[in-house]
Amino acid sequence: MCGIVGVIGKSEASPVIFEALKRLEYRGYDSAGIATVENGQIDRRRVEGKLNNLGDALTTSPLPGKIGIGHTRWATHGAPTEQNAHPHVSSHVAVVHNGIIENFRDLRNELEAGGHTFASETDTEVVAHLVTAYLQEGKSHFEAARLAVARLEGAFALGIIFQGEEDLIVGARHGPPLAIGEGDGEMYLGSDAFALAPMTNRVCYLEDGDCAEIRHDAVTIIDADGNQVERPFTIMMASAQLVDKGNHRHFMAKEIHEQPEVLGHTISAYADPLQETIYLGRVPFDLAAVPKITISACGTAFYAAMVAKYWFEQLARVSVEIDIASEFRYREAAMPEGGLAIFVSQSGETADTLAALRYCAQNGQHVASIVNVVESTIGRESEVVFPIHAGPEIGVASTKAFTCQLMVLAALAIATARARKTIDDETETRLVRALTSVPRLTTETLGVAGQIEALAHDLASTRDILYFGRGLQYPIALEGALKLKEISYIHAEGYAGGELKHGPIALIDEQVPVIVIAPYDRLFDKTMSNMQEVIARGGRVVFMSDDKGLDHVGNDAWAKIRVPEADPFISPFLYTIPVQLLAYYTAVAKGTDADQPRNLAKSVTVE
Ligand code: M6R
């Protein structure tokens, strides 16, 4: 959603805030701004568009002061203009906000009736005026902020600074995450700990309902019940260097190419290489006894869940229901007592997935999550967390998190099958061996990057592209289409091969490239038939397969992409690589911003 930062430092705050905002830009980039207090006065710079524009504004007109707050925005209420950019101010305070204040209209009406004049269309501005109203009643800064926060409904994280106060930032959390970092005589506030990484590795996380009084040398936290509480500072493992593009032009390229390495980390965390068995660590419920598995997630994480459904059902013979979290939470799903509910989320902060988790927890399900950010809300509210070990993913389009999610889901499916005695030791050994070969085979698959880059130049001018596959490749077709549309803005759809003739085949003509994902497996012949139906109608086929499959296709395809031959169990990992590369190079050929596509944000913490 949006990214917020606060700094009470020993030196100028705005350059530090600006650097921290760069690491949060993946959360939103419609507008940006910083406010500081200097000689008791609040001053601010705000710009429309990306952070570079704010950098230019600060160069032209520097912002002095050793305390400040900053924001990078993904617009919800009000257009992405300078006027609607944060920080929002009233006569006494400046505020940055991530989330949505649902009762802002009522509050705004009340405040306007009391003589407050608003300058933006945002929900955030009510916070500035509400705090000011309580200050005008004679409340202290912290008290005024707490009274204001108590009147807000919705999901929000806030950073507030005050006119005439150069040693106080108030942070408040109700939903979206907020971390406090402790430096040497300095304190920091951030939407996530990575933003604070270069300044400090000592971080604590606010809990829902917390309000923090942050001074340069101390933090006081009051919880939702009004009690003073301690939130422990822990040493954060992430290093700032991880959040760097290296030699790549985009984070997305770096993250695609990093997959062999991070998948190696993931498999090492879940497999015993000597015994060739899966090791999950302590699981606080019996995998053999769960009557049903429900998996909820959004976007790319949902497609990982879709692959997992095939794995769990085929290997563990357990019924698996998967759903898009935003639908699941409202459909009042019936779940047997003691079922297992799994939530897949890179960020661990996706509002819909979190709401689905809470619904399942209230309905007698065991709650497990598969997350990249272990300290996230989804991680913290789960009975058991299975980290994906992907490292920070900055590109808005999810790539390495997807394949690492697949790795954890595969390990979980094998462990469940073993617990339910639906596979024997020999099968487990074969599957673990296959998973262990994924890093090597993904490295080999990345060898097609040059060929795909050339192909992408031809695809960049097309209007529509279709993807199809069968079985385990059906979710990969959906993922390929999502990746392409989100970063290149080309209309793309993924289909199950067998479904084409029930409607989508009407879309095929000479203008429509069709990506066929077809490993030489038990469904290969069926997929070939579907491909012939497409070719017969003039469709241009980009055929992705292994050597055996490519031999069968002859000259029928317009382009052929070779993927290494492998155990069918791991085919989703390998076929993901060319569809990611295709999306990436098409975006590059079109000149769109692969890392920060329009209208999107990395972490969606509102409904
Ligand atoms: O952080 P999460 O995994 O919960 O995010 C879920 C989706 O918002 C995310 O996968 C989104 O679809 C990506 N932009 C896809 O590339």
Side-chain angles (χ1 to χ4, degrees):
M1 196 76 338
C2 305
I4 68 181
V5 174
V7 171
I8 306 178
K10 292 190 259 189
S11 52
E12 294 296 286
S14 62
V16 182
I17 294 171
F18 183 72
E19 284 305 310
L21 286 177
K22 279 190 191 164
R23 286 182 293 281
L24 288 177
E25 203 178 8
Y26 70 90
R27 299 175 74 96
Y29 32 81
D30 291 334
S31 63
I34 294 178
T36 58
V37 188
E38 162 84 341
N39 297 328
Q41 296 302 312
I42 292 176
D43 196 2
R44 64 179 168 168
R45 305 284 176 270
R46 299 181 301 162
V47 295
E48 195 175 313
K50 293 194 177 176
L51 216 48
N52 291 343
N53 301 351
L54 182 63
D56 294 344
L58 288 168
T59 308
T60 315
S61 176
L63 198 53
K66 294 183 177 142
I67 175 171
I69 50 178
H71 190 268
T72 177
R73 179 171 187 240
W74 186 74
T76 56
H77 294 64
T81 58
E82 181 182 334
Q83 184 196 18
N84 289 328
H86 301 215
H88 288 284
V89 297
S90 69
S91 52
H92 291 66
V93 302
V95 177
V96 286
H97 163 221
N98 171 28
I100 288 179
I101 293 161
E102 289 172 6
N103 60 337
F104 84 99
R105 280 187 195 82
D106 292 345
L107 292 170
R108 184 167 171 148
N109 290 342
E110 175 190 317
L111 288 156
E112 281 177 337
H116 289 259
T117 306
F118 282 73
S120 77
E121 304 156 309
T122 65
D123 50 344
T124 309
E125 197 181 347
V126 295
V127 183
H129 288 278
L130 204 51
V131 177
T132 296
Y134 285 115
L135 288 171
Q136 285 165 341
E137 286 178 14
K139 306 290 183 205
S140 72
H141 292 119
F142 190 44
E143 192 56 22
R146 286 188 53 218
L147 287 167
V149 167
R151 300 214 36 215
L152 306 178
E153 290 167 16
F156 51 84
L158 296 165
I160 308 172
I161 55 174
F162 304 83
Q163 178 107 333
E165 175 55 90
E166 293 179 38
D167 190 23
L168 175 63
I169 298 176
V170 173
R173 175 185 179 188
H174 195 271
L178 206 49
I180 297 175
E182 183 180 42
D184 176 17
E186 304 189 326
M187 290 286 179
Y188 313 99
L189 182 72
S191 289
D192 66 37
F194 291 128
L196 311 180
M199 290 99 84
T200 182
N201 64 353
R202 278 180 54 73
V203 171
C204 83
Y205 292 89
L206 295 187
E207 298 282 336
D208 257 1
D210 282 356
C211 258
E213 182 181 25
I214 305 165
R215 301 196 180 271
H216 78 282
D217 57 354
V219 177
T220 307
I221 299 173
I222 306 294
D223 71 7
D225 299 324
N227 301 315
Q228 186 170 333
V229 286
E230 295 294 323
R231 303 286 179 220
F233 278 87
T234 52
I235 303 296
M236 178 177 64
M237 300 307 289
S239 92
Q241 293 90 312
L242 285 173
V243 191
D244 190 276
K245 282 186 214 152
N247 295 328
H248 295 275
R249 190 162 154 195
H250 293 97
F251 280 110
M252 185 178 176
K254 179 190 174 220
E255 288 157 4
I256 290 174
H257 286 273
E258 238 166 38
Q259 288 176 105
E261 188 188 342
V262 291
L263 283 164
H265 297 160
T266 317
I267 187 63
S268 315
Y270 292 98
D272 178 332
L274 292 178
Q275 304 296 326
E276 296 186 305
T277 53
I278 291 297
Y279 171 75
L280 290 184
R282 201 188 79 80
V283 178
F285 44 83
D286 182 2
L287 283 169
V290 295
K292 181 180 174 184
I293 297 177
T294 307
I295 315 181
S296 309
C298 300
T300 286
F302 173 71
Y303 297 140
M306 241 176 129
V307 173
K309 178 178 165 71
Y310 289 84
W311 283 335
F312 276 104
E313 293 191 335
Q314 285 167 4
L315 295 176
R317 312 303 301 154
V318 57
S319 165
V320 177
E321 192 173 359
I322 54 169
D323 212 338
I324 295 164
S326 57
E327 288 299 316
F328 176 81
R329 61 181 295 194
Y330 292 115
R331 86 177 154 81
E332 296 173 29
M335 289 172 290
E337 188 72 25
L340 169 59
I342 303 175
F343 301 89
V344 187
S345 174
Q346 187 284 130
S347 61
E349 299 294 349
T350 300
D352 289 316
T353 310
L354 179 60
L357 181 154
R358 288 175 177 160
Y359 176 83
C360 288
Q362 283 158 9
N363 283 274
Q365 302 301 291
H366 293 295
V367 171
S369 63
I370 294 176
V371 294
N372 199 22
V373 184
V374 176
E375 309 85 0
S376 59
T377 312
I378 289 176
R380 282 182 290 131
E381 293 197 14
S382 302
E383 261 174 272
V384 56
V385 182
F386 299 109
I388 66 167
H389 301 286
E393 188 181 68
I394 305 299
V396 164
S398 190
T399 52
K400 63 176 180 170
F402 176 68
T403 46
C404 290
Q405 286 161 355
L406 288 181
M407 188 61 91
V408 177
L409 286 160
L412 203 49
I414 295 170
T416 308
R418 185 181 60 210
R420 300 171 83 86
K421 301 193 178 14
T422 50
I423 57 169
D424 55 20
D425 292 351
E426 206 181 316
T427 307
E428 180 168 3
T429 304
R430 172 179 71 78
L431 297 174
V432 172
R433 231 174 249 174
L435 288 179
T436 311
S437 70
V438 167
R440 172 177 55 80
L441 292 171
T442 44
T443 306
E444 191 182 329
T445 313
L446 282 163
V448 297
Q451 188 195 352
I452 290 186
E453 185 174 7
L455 178 65
H457 282 280
D458 292 328
L459 295 181
S461 55
T462 52
R463 212 187 54 186
D464 308 289
I465 300 187
L466 301 186
Y467 290 67
F468 75 80
R470 280 175 171 258
L472 288 167
Q473 312 316 321
Y474 168 37
I476 306 307
L478 292 167
E479 169 60 3
L482 173 65
K483 218 79 310 169
L484 186 81
K485 67 185 134 191
E486 71 179 330
I487 61 168
S488 75
Y489 318 145
I490 293 174
H491 171 244
E493 297 297 338
Y495 291 102
E499 191 64 12
L500 282 185
K501 56 187 176 293
H502 298 291
I505 202 159
L507 296 169
I508 307 288
D509 64 21
E510 297 74 18
Q511 310 304 320
V512 181
V514 182
I515 316 297
V516 180
I517 306 172
Y520 191 75
D521 59 13
R522 70 191 172 96
L523 296 172
F524 181 79
D525 290 342
K526 308 267 176 215
T527 312
M528 284 294 279
S529 305
N530 303 140
M531 187 193 79
Q532 291 304 341
E533 289 155 13
V534 165
I535 290 174
R537 284 153 183 88
R540 284 186 295 162
V541 166
V542 175
F543 190 72
M544 299 182 173
S545 188
D546 47 37
D547 284 334
K548 283 189 190 137
L550 294 178
D551 279 352
H552 279 72
V553 80
N555 293 326
D556 285 346
W558 173 57
K560 294 194 258 184
I561 307 292
R562 183 191 166 273
V563 175
E565 208 172 313
D567 188 314
F569 179 60
I570 59 165
S571 58
F573 294 94
L574 307 188
Y575 286 84
T576 296
I577 302 290
V579 299
Q580 290 173 343
L581 289 167
L582 195 66
Y584 173 69
Y585 284 118
T586 307
V588 171
K590 279 196 74 176
T592 53
D593 186 339
D595 279 343
Q596 295 181 340
R598 69 186 180 201
N599 304 340
L600 296 177
K602 182 72 181 160
S603 162
V604 184
T605 54
V606 291
E607 263 192 71

